[in-house]
């Protein structure tokens, strides 16, 4: 029994170390990608064609999405160690955010997404987002 508790405490410490690494080491390169992308577009905006501008927009959205994923990992690690109460979640708002991420893929594939109104429910919004991404 005591060995299991020791293993759980060690796992929690590893999770805390990972959360620290994710919050600092992984987010910094993303900040630089966004900053340099903005600088390139700003400085060379008259020399970049519309396709190039679209590519830079996609780069920026992807970097933003990666930062959100890292933040979600941090939040999830906190939830698993601290626990977090459920709140009223509007699934339609969460789904709209998820659909924005898939917008370019939907356009490229000429797909149609049909959705109906979803209910609000008591849940953890951080856990609902990955569920809708599946």
């Amino acid at each position: 029994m005591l060995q299991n508790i020791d293993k759980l405490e060690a796992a929690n410490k590893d999770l805390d170390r990972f959360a620290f690494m994710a919050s600092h080491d992984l987010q910094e390169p993303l900040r630089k990608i966004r900053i340099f992308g903005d600088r390139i577009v700003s400085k060379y905006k008259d020399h970049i064609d519309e396709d190039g501008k679209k590519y830079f927009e996609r780069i920026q959205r992807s970097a933003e999405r990666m930062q959100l994923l890292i933040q979600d990992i941090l939040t999830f690690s906190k939830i698993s160690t601290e626990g977090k109460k459920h709140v009223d979640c509007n699934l339609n708002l969460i789904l709209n955010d998820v659909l924005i991420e898939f917008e370019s893929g939907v356009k490229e594939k000429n797909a149609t997404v049909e959705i109906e109104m979803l209910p609000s429910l008591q849940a953890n919004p951080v856990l609902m987002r990955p569920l809708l991404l599946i």
Side-chain angles (χ1 to χ4, degrees):
M1 180 77 164
L2 290 176
Q3 288 177 339
N4 288 339
I5 292 172
D6 290 340
K7 286 180 184 179
L8 286 174
E9 287 176 355
N12 281 339
K13 286 180 184 177
D14 288 343
L15 186 59
D16 287 340
R17 276 187 237 120
F18 172 77
F20 179 80
M21 181 195 73
S23 67
H24 296 284
D25 297 345
L26 296 177
Q27 288 192 47
E28 184 58 28
L30 290 171
R31 281 193 274 283
K32 288 181 180 176
I33 289 169
R34 293 178 70 189
I35 288 169
F36 289 126
D38 286 341
R39 286 182 184 172
I40 290 169
V41 170
S42 182
K43 186 172 182 176
Y44 299 104
K45 64 184 170 200
D46 296 333
H47 303 288
I48 301 172
D49 65 6
E50 287 305 311
D51 282 341
K53 289 176 185 176
K54 287 179 187 176
Y55 292 141
F56 275 104
E57 287 174 18
R58 290 177 75 180
I59 290 169
Q60 294 294 61
R61 282 197 311 257
S62 295
E64 288 172 22
R65 174 70 185 126
M66 187 66 170
Q67 282 183 318
L68 286 173
L69 289 170
I70 291 168
Q71 290 169 359
D72 287 348
I73 290 169
L74 290 170
T75 303
F76 182 75
S77 70
K78 288 179 185 176
I79 290 168
S80 65
T81 57
E82 298 171 3
K84 185 170 181 175
K85 303 216 182 243
H86 294 121
V87 297
D88 191 40
C89 291
N90 183 338
L91 294 179
N92 296 296
L93 294 176
I94 297 170
L95 181 60
N96 284 337
D97 288 342
V98 169
L99 290 175
I100 288 170
E101 294 173 31
F102 290 118
E103 184 177 14
S104 62
V106 169
K107 284 181 183 177
E108 286 174 12
K109 293 181 174 40
N110 202 21
T112 303
V113 178
E114 294 181 23
I115 57 171
E116 295 182 17
M117 291 296 292
L118 297 172
S120 288
L121 52 95
Q122 291 290 315
N124 185 320
V126 173
L127 298 177
M128 291 289 92
R129 183 180 187 83
L131 177 69
L132 295 173
L133 278 168
I134 294 175

